[in-house]
Amino acid sequence: MDMNEREKRLRQKQAQRRKNVLIMKCIISLLILIVVFLAVVLIKDAVIPGVKKQEENTKKQQQEAQADAGGSVTADQTESTEGSGSTEDQLLAAADVMAAQYDYDGAIQSLQASSLYTNSQKMQDAVTGYQQVKATCTAYPLEQITHVFFHTMIKDPSKAFDGDAKEAGYNQVMTTMSEFTGIMESMYEKGYVMVSLHDMCTVNADGTVSSGEILLPPGKIPFVLSQDDVSYYHYMDGDGFAQKLIVDENGDVKNTYVEDDGSISVGDYDMVPWIDTFVKEHPDFSYHGHKGIIALTGYEGVLGYRTDEVYRTKEASRVTEYQQKFFDEHPDFDEAAWQKEVDDATNVANTMKAEGWEFASHTWGHIAPQTVGLEAMQKDTQRWLDNVAPVVGDTDVIIFAFGADIGDWQPYTDANPFFTYLKGKGFNIFCNVDSTQYWVQFGSNYMRQGRRNLDGYRMYYNPDMLSDLFDVSSVWDKSRPTPVPQM
Ligand SMILES: [Zn+2]
């Protein structure tokens, strides 16, 4: 090996050493950067732990304010709740939720009403953005609005489908929570947006009913969502359904569920809390903050509470077998206990209304008016008004039990005594059951709409009729026994 060769190797070695040192320096710098970054993040969280919570609160406040005020938050209301600095961001966050729910006018007004607006480029830019999206909106044809409905969801299919005498009925007309989740997620992805029946029409002071207007950007499809018999009837005990709806410590509506060991779980075990949670994460699933409509009977109370007068009077001739069993199991259920049921149910109903839910009559006794006759229907309606309306509030919507309408497809007339009676009792909107994609009828003093059942029967026998909403094969709960029994 000559000198040149040795020299060369030495230089190569030195170069390699320098390279190694450089790499080490790089790694050390990187480590320092990471440490500094982590420190900053940790300190930020330690100093302002409320940041995330504040954001959540803002959203909630906005939604509540929107529900109360019909979509307008004034600058004063918001400014008074917070110190300086965050107000602009808060107002913008609140306006963004309104705009996400297609209430562009509300969003624009809320920003322009603020004293900060004139000097805020951010707010002015936001308004320009809302105006641009609003300009793309068109009025959706009201006669093409679909209406889907469910019964109380099956939380635990192994208990509903356990081979007893009630299994066939559950299999036909109920939907499991996993199916419901799949259906709603599919509809959301397709662009469906929940609207109210009261978005579809306007009831005027003189009793006439005119068309409403639903303005949506391209690709969005309005639909009405309803749920029947959210009473948590006695016969469903132990069959895998939620026990009742409650208001939890955060002010949210949730379900209770009785576990096998008798302990009570709280969660989203039925439609209402599931939708509330989903809309918090996807505000654009709701038009102007509106959600579904709950069709209630009254004979075993509402929302899981035993609010009917029979639980107070215990009038022997009216107490059913199930109610007698309830009294036997709850010998201490007295007048005060009944009053507490009414108070708790009223609290749940009020909380739901503030969150965008509405209520309808499903008749008090789950009756078919034309089958029982006019006089019986009048008595039944009065029972609903006496026992259910005081808890959930007045409504002008009747969603017929069994889908049993008070007339055929032809328009109602004043010659129909069932119609004139119900109209006289304040009902303006009437819903039956109709398997077609949409069926909407406007009369001079009413609106009618058909509803599609998204249950085991329809999914099993007519999956093709649901393809505009979801793919049955991808939502079908495999724990459901087949074939689904024929009606
Ligand atoms: Zn029903």
Side-chain angles (χ1 to χ4, degrees):
M1 203 184 278
D2 61 19
M3 277 299 281
N4 269 349
E5 187 67 13
R6 200 180 290 168
E7 181 83 351
K8 214 172 156 186
R9 291 215 170 170
L10 198 68
R11 279 193 190 153
Q12 274 176 349
K13 261 189 192 165
Q14 280 171 342
Q16 186 59 46
R17 213 172 291 140
R18 275 200 298 273
K19 210 170 156 189
N20 286 345
V21 168
L22 200 69
I23 289 172
M24 278 305 289
K25 277 185 180 168
C26 281
I27 291 173
I28 290 167
S29 310
L30 201 68
L31 282 173
I32 290 171
L33 270 174
I34 290 171
V35 168
V36 168
F37 175 76
L38 282 176
V40 166
V41 168
L42 287 175
I43 287 167
K44 196 180 159 209
D45 269 5
V47 173
I48 34 173
V51 166
K52 203 151 182 210
K53 187 107 203 179
Q54 237 173 48
E55 282 166 6
E56 284 165 8
N57 284 343
T58 308
K59 208 168 156 189
K60 203 165 175 202
Q61 274 168 13
Q62 190 278 326
Q63 282 179 338
E64 279 162 9
Q66 195 186 351
D68 290 341
S72 66
V73 178
T74 68
D76 285 345
Q77 277 172 340
T78 315
E79 275 165 11
S80 64
T81 61
E82 282 298 326
S84 60
S86 54
T87 310
E88 184 192 45
D89 284 345
Q90 279 191 323
L91 281 169
L92 280 164
D96 274 347
V97 175
M98 270 192 243
Q101 298 190 326
Y102 319 97
D103 184 9
Y104 306 104
D105 290 338
I108 291 166
Q109 278 161 23
S110 73
L111 294 185
Q112 289 180 338
S114 164
S115 55
L116 301 171
Y117 183 73
T118 0
N119 294 316
S120 167
Q121 191 59 48
K122 266 194 197 169
M123 288 166 105
Q124 290 167 23
D125 290 348
V127 165
T128 308
Y130 301 150
Q131 280 163 341
Q132 280 166 353
V133 188
K134 192 193 165 193
T136 70
C137 292
T138 50
Y140 200 91
L142 300 171
E143 67 280 4
Q144 291 175 24
I145 294 180
T146 199
H147 183 154
V148 302
F149 81 98
F150 299 89
H151 286 95
T152 304
M153 303 300 163
I154 296 167
K155 190 241 177 207
D156 183 350
S158 72
K159 290 194 157 50
F161 305 136
D162 61 353
D164 72 11
K166 292 175 276 180
E167 179 188 282
Y170 294 149
N171 201 354
Q172 288 165 336
V173 305
M174 303 302 207
T175 310
T176 71
M177 270 314 283
S178 83
E179 288 169 343
F180 175 71
T181 301
I183 292 169
M184 287 297 115
E185 283 172 350
S186 165
M187 289 181 69
Y188 175 69
E189 273 157 32
K190 285 177 187 282
Y192 281 92
V193 176
M194 275 181 292
V195 299
S196 161
L197 291 162
H198 293 98
D199 292 319
M200 294 179 65
C201 67
T202 307
V203 181
N204 306 303
D206 62 357
T208 58
V209 173
S210 39
S211 303
E213 187 177 55
I214 295 171
L215 293 167
L216 284 170
K220 294 293 179 182
I221 315 158
F223 80 104
V224 178
L225 173 70
S226 58
Q227 189 176 32
D228 296 1
D229 302 283
V230 189
S231 305
Y232 304 105
Y233 294 127
H234 293 303
Y235 81 87
M236 296 158 78
D237 284 353
D239 282 345
F241 297 89
Q243 178 194 38
K244 58 171 74 169
L245 288 162
I246 58 153
V247 180
D248 75 2
E249 65 276 13
N250 304 314
D252 295 324
V253 174
K254 297 285 171 191
N255 284 113
T256 54
Y257 181 82
V258 184
E259 303 287 351
D260 286 345
D261 63 3
S263 64
I264 306 283
S265 300
V266 175
D268 298 350
Y269 306 135
D270 201 353
M271 187 177 102
V272 169
W274 190 94
I275 288 283
D276 282 348
T277 300
F278 191 78
V279 169
K280 270 180 195 152
E281 290 156 14
H282 310 89
D284 57 331
F285 195 44
S286 159
Y287 185 77
H288 294 211
H290 302 159
K291 291 175 180 162
I293 183 159
I294 308 299
L296 294 170
T297 60
Y299 64 100
E300 286 188 358
V302 296
L303 310 173
Y305 297 88
R306 305 308 160 197
T307 54
D308 190 67
E309 61 196 358
V310 81
Y311 293 88
R312 180 176 58 83
T313 64
K314 303 185 184 179
E315 193 185 325
S317 63
R318 284 186 57 193
V319 169
T320 65
E321 207 177 309
Y322 279 119
Q323 286 164 336
Q324 191 52 55
K325 190 164 167 266
F326 173 80
F327 292 136
D328 292 346
E329 286 166 3
H330 302 86
D332 52 342
F333 195 89
D334 56 9
E335 179 111 14
W338 171 83
Q339 186 60 51
K340 185 168 179 348
E341 294 286 290
V342 170
D343 294 345
D344 289 350
T346 306
N347 184 35
V348 172
N350 287 339
T351 309
M352 284 173 62
K353 285 188 277 185
E355 282 288 321
W357 295 96
E358 293 179 83
F359 293 98
S361 167
H362 193 46
T363 76
W364 176 88
H366 209 278
I367 57 155
Q370 290 185 319
T371 307
V372 300
L374 182 62
E375 207 176 309
M377 185 196 69
Q378 291 170 338
K379 197 175 164 193
D380 176 276
T381 305
Q382 200 52 53
R383 277 193 176 152
W384 198 93
L385 294 172
D386 292 343
N387 288 278
V388 184
V391 177
V392 303
D394 292 334
T395 182
D396 69 341
V397 182
I398 185 159
I399 289 178
F400 293 115
F402 309 107
D405 206 328
I406 48 170
D408 61 16
W409 60 271
Q410 295 178 82
Y412 294 151
T413 68
D414 286 347
N416 179 339
F418 293 91
F419 171 67
T420 51
Y421 172 78
L422 288 172
K423 178 74 186 170
K425 287 288 173 183
F427 292 99
N428 300 304
I429 301 173
F430 303 79
C431 296
N432 54 36
V433 173
D434 195 289
S435 58
T436 54
Q437 198 177 348
Y438 33 74
W439 188 85
V440 179
Q441 183 180 80
F442 276 95
S444 63
N445 57 355
Y446 68 85
M447 182 181 82
R448 285 167 87 186
Q449 190 178 32
R451 306 185 305 146
R452 301 159 75 184
N453 46 316
L454 304 185
D455 52 21
Y457 188 87
R458 183 67 68 217
M459 286 194 286
Y460 188 74
Y461 289 104
N462 312 96
D464 45 311
M465 291 175 73
L466 307 173
S467 58
D468 56 321
L469 308 170
F470 60 97
D471 172 14
V472 170
S473 65
S474 61
V475 310
W476 180 263
D477 191 325
K478 291 183 179 62
S479 60
R480 198 183 265 286
T482 53
V484 172
Q486 290 280 358
M487 294 279 186

